[in-house]
C-alpha cells in the first residue's frame, strides 16, 4: 500500500521535474528547486617557480655618473614608433607595458619603485626593472628668459620609452588578481598610456592585431598605397609612415589602425 | 678637401640622395595630435579597418535543416502511449476539428463512448516523428492542422460516421482499420460492406453449393433420383448421336 503511494508520488515528482525542464511542447511553468554543490577550481601550482634573492626593485640614480655632462639634441625620434628592445617577457609573469611613447624621469621611477616595493609581498613576489635609469639629458632655459643666448643648461635626465616597451616585470608565486591592482595603480600614473599584461594576455593582444590584419575586408592597405606612392601621397607623408604604416602618429599609437 | 670628403660620403658614382626638405616647419613628435593634411586624412579613411561581416545572433533565423534531436522525456512518454494505442486498437480514425466548442466535444465524446470509441488528442510533431519510425509511415500526411484521433478496439465505423455526420466541425480525413489505410471515401464504402459473418456464410455456401445440391437430391425419394438419372442418360445419348452425325 505505502509502496504504491510512494511510487505514485515519485512518478508524479518525476513528471513535474520533466515538465519543468522540457521546453518544446508544453512550456511547463513548474519550477524545480534543487540544491547544488559548490565546485572549487584547483589553485595553480607554483612549485617550479624560483624566486631570486633580491626581490624588490633596485634604487635608480637620478643622473648618470658623468664628469663632463654633454648637452644633447632633442632627438624626439627615440619616442616615435614601436619598441624593438625589452618588448617581451623574460623571467616574470606580469608586466606594465607602455601603450604610447614618452619620457620617464626620476620622479616617475621613484613613484614606481616605492609603490611596488611597499605593496608587494617579498616572500612570494619579485619585481625587475625593464627600463634603464635616466640617461638622456633634457635642457631647460630659466623662467622668463628671452629667445637666444645659446642652449639652456641641463635640467634633468630622462629615459625615453617607446610603444610596447616593458617598464616593470613582476613574477613569483602569485596570480594576476593579486598583483593587478597594484600595477594598474602605477600604470595610471605614468606620463603615457600603460597597461598591465600577463604572458597569456599579451599573446592574445598580439594575436588579436594579427587577426585584424588577416581578416581586414578593405582591399586598400596603407602599406600598398605608400609603397607604390599612389597619387603622389608621399608628398604629405613622412618617411616614418613607410615603416609604421599609419599605426603611429608622433608618439601616439593608434589602436584602431591595422 | 670638401670634394674628397664628398667622394667618401657618396658610395657609388653618380648616386644622388633623395631631395630632403631643408625647411623645418613643425616637429613630428608633439604632445598633442598633429592635425593631418587633408590628403592624409583621406588616405587614413580609405585604408581604415573593415571588420568581417558578423554572423547573425543565435536564434535570429530558424534552422534550415531540422537536426535529429534527442526526445525529451515527455515526448518519450507520449510515444509509449501511442505505441500501445496502435497495438491494441483496430480502428484509428483521424478527424479534423475546425473549431468545435467544448459542449459539442463533450457530447461527441459521450456518444462515441457508448460504442466503445475513445477520443484522443496527440501533438502533431510527436505523432509524425513516431509514425516515421513505425510501419504506419504513410499516415503521416493526415496529421496536419488540428487533428483528433478516434480509437476503438472494434471497428465500429457506422456508428462513428453517424456521429460525425451530425457534428458540424468534425471532418473525417482518413482511418487505419485492421492495419489498412483508408481514405474518407474508403471508410464510407467499408461501412457499406456486409458484416464478416454474412460474407463468411456466402463464401461457405458458394464453395459447398454442388455438394449440398447432391446431398439434397440423395435425400429425396429414390424414384425421383432414378427418373433424373434416366433423363440424364437420354440426354447424353442424344447429344452423342448428333455429334457423331456432325463428325461424319
Amino acid at each position: 500500500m505505502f509502496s504504491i503511494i510512494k511510487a505514485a508520488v515519485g512518478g508524479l515528482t518525476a513528471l513535474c521535474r520533466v515538465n519543468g525542464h522540457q521546453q518544446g511542447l508544453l512550456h511547463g511553468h513548474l519550477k524545480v528547486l534543487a540544491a547544488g554543490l559548490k565546485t572549487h577550481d584547483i589553485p595553480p601550482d607554483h612549485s617550479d617557480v624560483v624566486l631570486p634573492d633580491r626581490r624588490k626593485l633596485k634604487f635608480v640614480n637620478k643622473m648618470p655618473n658623468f664628469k663632463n655632462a654633454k648637452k644633447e639634441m632633442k632627438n624626439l625620434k627615440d619616442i616615435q614608433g614601436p619598441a624593438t628592445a625589452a618588448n617581451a617577457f623574460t623571467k616574470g609573469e606580469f608586466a606594465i607595458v607602455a601603450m604610447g611613447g614618452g619620457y620617464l624621469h626620476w620622479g616617475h621611477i621613484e613613484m614606481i619603485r616605492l609603490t611596488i616595493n611597499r605593496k608587494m609581498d617579498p616572500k612570494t613576489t619579485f619585481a625587475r626593472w625593464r627600463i634603464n635609469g635616466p640617461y638622456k639629458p633634457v635642457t631647460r632655459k630659466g623662467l622668463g628668459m628671452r629667445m637666444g643666448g645659446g642652449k639652456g643648461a641641463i635640467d634633468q635626465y630622462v629615459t625615453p620609452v617607446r610603444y610596447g616597451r616593458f617598464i616593470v616585470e613582476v613574477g613569483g608565486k602569485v596570480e594576476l588578481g593579486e598583483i593587478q591592482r597594484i600595477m594598474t595603480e602605477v600604470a595610471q600614473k605614468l606620463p603615457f598610456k600603460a597597461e598591465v599584461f600577463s604572458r597569456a594576455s599579451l599573446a592574445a593582444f598580439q594575436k588579436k592585431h594579427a587577426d585584424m590584419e588577416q581578416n581586414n575586408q578593405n582591399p586598400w592597405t596603407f602599406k600598398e598605397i605608400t609603397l607604390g606612392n599612389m597619387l603622389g601621397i608621399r608628398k604629405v607623408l613622412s618617411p616614418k609612415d613607410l615603416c609604421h604604416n599609419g599605426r603611429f602618429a608622433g608618439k601616439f599609437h593608434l589602436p584602431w589602425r591595422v | 678637401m670638401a670634394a674628397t670628403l664628398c667622394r667618401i660620403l657618396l658610395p657609388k658614382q653618380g648616386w644622388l640622395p633623395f631631395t630632403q626638405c631643408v625647411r623645418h616647419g613643425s616637429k613630428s613628435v608633439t604632445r598633442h595630435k598633429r592635425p593631418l593634411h587633408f590628403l592624409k586624412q583621406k588616405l587614413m579613411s580609405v585604408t581604415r579597418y573593415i571588420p568581417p561581416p558578423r554572423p547573425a545572433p543565435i536564434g535570429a533565423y530558424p534552422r534550415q535543416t531540422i537536426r535529429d534531436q534527442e526526445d525529451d522525456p515527455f515526448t518519450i512518454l507520449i510515444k509509449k502511449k501511442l505505441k500501445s494505442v496502435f497495438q491494441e486498437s483496430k480502428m484509428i480514425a483521424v478527424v479534423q476539428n475546425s473549431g468545435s466548442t467544448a459542449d459539442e466535444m463533450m457530447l461527441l465524446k459521450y456518444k462515441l463512448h457508448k460504442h466503445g470509441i475513445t477520443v484522443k488528442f496527440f501533438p502533431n510533431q510527436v505523432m509524425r516523428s513516431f509514425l516515421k519510425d513505425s510501419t504506419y509511415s504513410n499516415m503521416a500526411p493526415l496529421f496536419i492542422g488540428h487533428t483528433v484521433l478516434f480509437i476503438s478496439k472494434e471497428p465500429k465505423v457506422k456508428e462513428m460516421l453517424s456521429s460525425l455526420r451530425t457534428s458540424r466541425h468534425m471532418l473525417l480525413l482518413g482511418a487505419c482499420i485492421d492495419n489498412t489505410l483508408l481514405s474518407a471515401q474508403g471508410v464510407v464504402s467499408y461501412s457499406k460492406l456486409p458484416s464478416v459473418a454474412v460474407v463468411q456464410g456466402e463464401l461457405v455456401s458458394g464453395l459447398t453449393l454442388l455438394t449440398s445440391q447432391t446431398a439434397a437430391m440423395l435425400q429425396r425419394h429414390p424414384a425421383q433420383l432414378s427418373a433424373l438419372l434416366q433423363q440424364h442418360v437420354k440426354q447424353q445419348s442424344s447429344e452423342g448421336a448428333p455429334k457423331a452425325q456432325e463428325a461424319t
Side-chain angles (χ1 to χ4, degrees):
Chain A
M1 172 70 179
F2 268 114
S3 60
I4 296 162
I5 293 168
K6 268 190 200 170
V9 168
L12 271 174
T13 49
L15 198 67
C16 288
R17 209 171 291 126
V18 156
N19 264 334
H21 283 303
Q22 65 90 17
Q23 292 150 18
L25 294 163
L26 271 197
H27 307 285
H29 304 288
L30 302 167
K31 192 174 177 180
V32 177
L33 301 167
L37 286 174
K38 186 168 171 73
T39 50
H40 298 272
D41 297 325
I42 301 166
D45 185 25
H46 294 298
S47 54
D48 53 343
V49 173
V50 175
L51 293 160
D53 295 326
R54 305 280 168 84
R55 300 195 190 158
K56 295 204 173 178
L57 288 171
K58 271 194 276 187
F59 174 76
V60 177
N61 278 323
K62 210 170 188 177
M63 57 183 79
N65 302 334
F66 283 147
K67 276 192 187 164
N68 308 318
K70 275 203 151 171
K71 294 184 217 180
E72 279 178 16
M73 289 195 277
K74 218 161 272 176
N75 206 19
L76 290 171
K77 62 179 189 276
D78 52 14
I79 311 299
Q80 232 182 1
T84 48
N87 55 0
F89 280 96
T90 49
K91 282 188 191 170
E93 287 298 314
F94 317 104
I96 302 173
V97 180
M99 290 282 119
Y103 288 128
L104 283 175
H105 57 68
W106 189 72
H108 295 128
I109 293 170
E110 275 297 279
M111 177 273 292
I112 298 168
R113 186 179 70 85
L114 289 170
T115 320
I116 290 182
N117 284 350
R118 198 174 349 118
K119 302 213 169 171
M120 80 173 195
D121 180 15
K123 290 177 198 164
T124 51
T125 346
F126 70 90
R128 282 183 73 239
W129 286 114
R130 289 307 296 278
I131 47 159
N132 303 318
Y135 61 86
K136 179 176 173 171
V138 160
T139 60
R140 207 145 287 167
K141 274 176 113 58
L143 185 65
M145 296 283 280
R146 292 199 178 202
M147 290 284 108
K151 194 163 162 79
I154 293 174
D155 183 44
Q156 54 172 334
Y157 287 81
V158 292
T159 324
V161 167
R162 284 191 160 115
Y163 162 83
R165 173 131 193 169
F166 282 28
I167 312 295
V168 171
E169 211 177 327
V170 172
K173 301 179 181 178
V174 275
E175 284 179 68
L176 184 64
E178 298 170 54
I179 213 82
Q180 188 166 28
R181 237 187 130 175
I182 306 159
M183 289 172 77
T184 35
E185 205 187 307
V186 165
Q188 279 165 8
K189 291 191 198 169
L190 295 174
F192 39 79
K193 236 192 218 157
E195 257 185 62
V196 178
F197 282 110
S198 68
R199 281 186 194 246
S201 68
L202 187 68
F205 180 78
Q206 283 161 353
K207 186 174 181 293
K208 194 175 158 196
H209 179 76
D211 287 341
M212 263 174 84
E213 273 186 51
Q214 273 279 309
N215 62 24
N216 186 10
Q217 303 294 304
N218 196 344
W220 295 107
T221 48
F222 194 100
K223 188 169 183 176
E224 187 193 351
I225 295 175
T226 47
L227 269 183
N229 192 13
M230 295 185 184
L231 299 174
I233 197 79
R234 279 187 66 182
K235 187 180 175 202
V236 300
L237 299 176
S238 111
K240 289 288 177 184
D241 286 316
L242 269 177
C243 311
H244 307 322
N245 295 326
R247 287 182 60 212
F248 291 90
K251 63 173 183 175
F252 301 106
H253 171 251
L254 312 171
W256 58 86
R257 296 287 310 170
V258 80
Chain B
M1 194 180 113
T4 49
L5 275 171
C6 283
R7 189 139 302 164
I8 292 158
L9 281 168
L10 305 171
K12 285 184 262 185
Q13 197 88 21
W15 179 83
L16 285 165
F18 287 107
T19 46
Q20 293 177 22
C21 51
V22 181
R23 291 176 188 276
H24 298 282
S26 44
K27 298 210 187 290
S28 57
V29 180
T30 48
R31 287 172 207 209
H32 63 281
K33 290 213 173 84
R34 276 191 63 218
L36 300 176
H37 193 279
F38 184 61
L39 290 177
K40 190 169 180 193
Q41 276 179 44
K42 280 193 192 176
L43 173 67
M44 298 293 256
S45 75
V46 161
T47 56
R48 70 188 165 88
Y49 170 66
I50 297 172
R54 285 204 294 188
I58 306 161
Y61 297 108
R63 282 202 206 113
Q64 279 177 333
T65 52
I66 303 160
R67 287 184 284 118
D68 277 322
Q69 280 173 327
E70 264 183 29
D71 282 333
D72 42 279
F74 190 58
T75 316
I76 293 167
L77 194 74
I78 296 175
K79 282 192 177 171
K80 270 191 211 165
K81 190 95 210 307
L82 276 171
K83 198 170 168 185
S84 66
V85 154
F86 271 88
Q87 271 175 349
E88 287 161 6
S89 54
K90 279 197 184 167
M91 179 181 86
I92 302 158
V94 183
V95 177
Q96 190 192 20
N97 172 19
S98 54
S100 62
T101 56
D103 299 338
E104 286 175 33
M105 206 70 214
M106 196 170 70
L107 286 169
L108 184 74
K109 274 190 186 173
Y110 282 150
K111 256 195 248 177
L112 292 172
H113 185 69
K114 279 183 220 166
H115 303 294
I117 304 171
T118 44
V119 176
K120 287 275 174 196
F121 296 86
F122 289 108
N124 277 346
Q125 275 184 359
V126 175
M127 194 77 199
R128 266 184 247 134
S129 83
F130 168 77
L131 292 175
K132 190 165 52 122
D133 302 323
S134 71
T135 52
Y136 303 95
S137 49
N138 289 324
M139 270 181 89
L142 290 172
F143 293 95
I144 292 168
H146 296 280
T147 48
V148 188
L149 228 60
F150 287 5
I151 295 153
S152 79
K153 284 202 176 147
E154 313 290 316
K156 296 209 170 149
V157 185
K158 271 192 201 145
E159 293 90 354
M160 187 182 77
L161 283 174
S162 62
S163 49
L164 284 174
R165 222 179 290 130
T166 48
S167 69
R168 248 189 282 170
H169 301 285
M170 308 296 265
L171 180 74
L172 181 67
L173 298 174
C176 175
I177 301 172
D178 283 336
N179 285 341
T180 42
L181 259 186
L182 298 167
S183 64
Q185 289 154 354
V187 169
V188 167
S189 51
Y190 178 91
S191 67
K192 288 182 189 156
L193 284 173
S195 68
V196 177
V198 168
V199 170
Q200 276 177 345
E202 273 184 31
L203 185 69
V204 163
S205 60
L207 286 169
T208 57
L209 183 66
L210 285 169
T211 46
S212 61
Q213 272 184 348
T214 44
M217 260 196 282
L218 285 167
Q219 275 170 6
R220 282 199 211 133
H221 203 265
Q224 277 187 338
L225 183 64
S226 59
L228 206 66
L229 284 168
Q230 271 179 358
Q231 189 69 22
H232 182 67
V233 164
K234 263 190 208 169
Q235 270 188 339
Q236 277 217 320
S237 59
S238 63
E239 274 173 23
K243 266 190 188 168
Q245 277 179 1
E246 278 174 19
T248 54

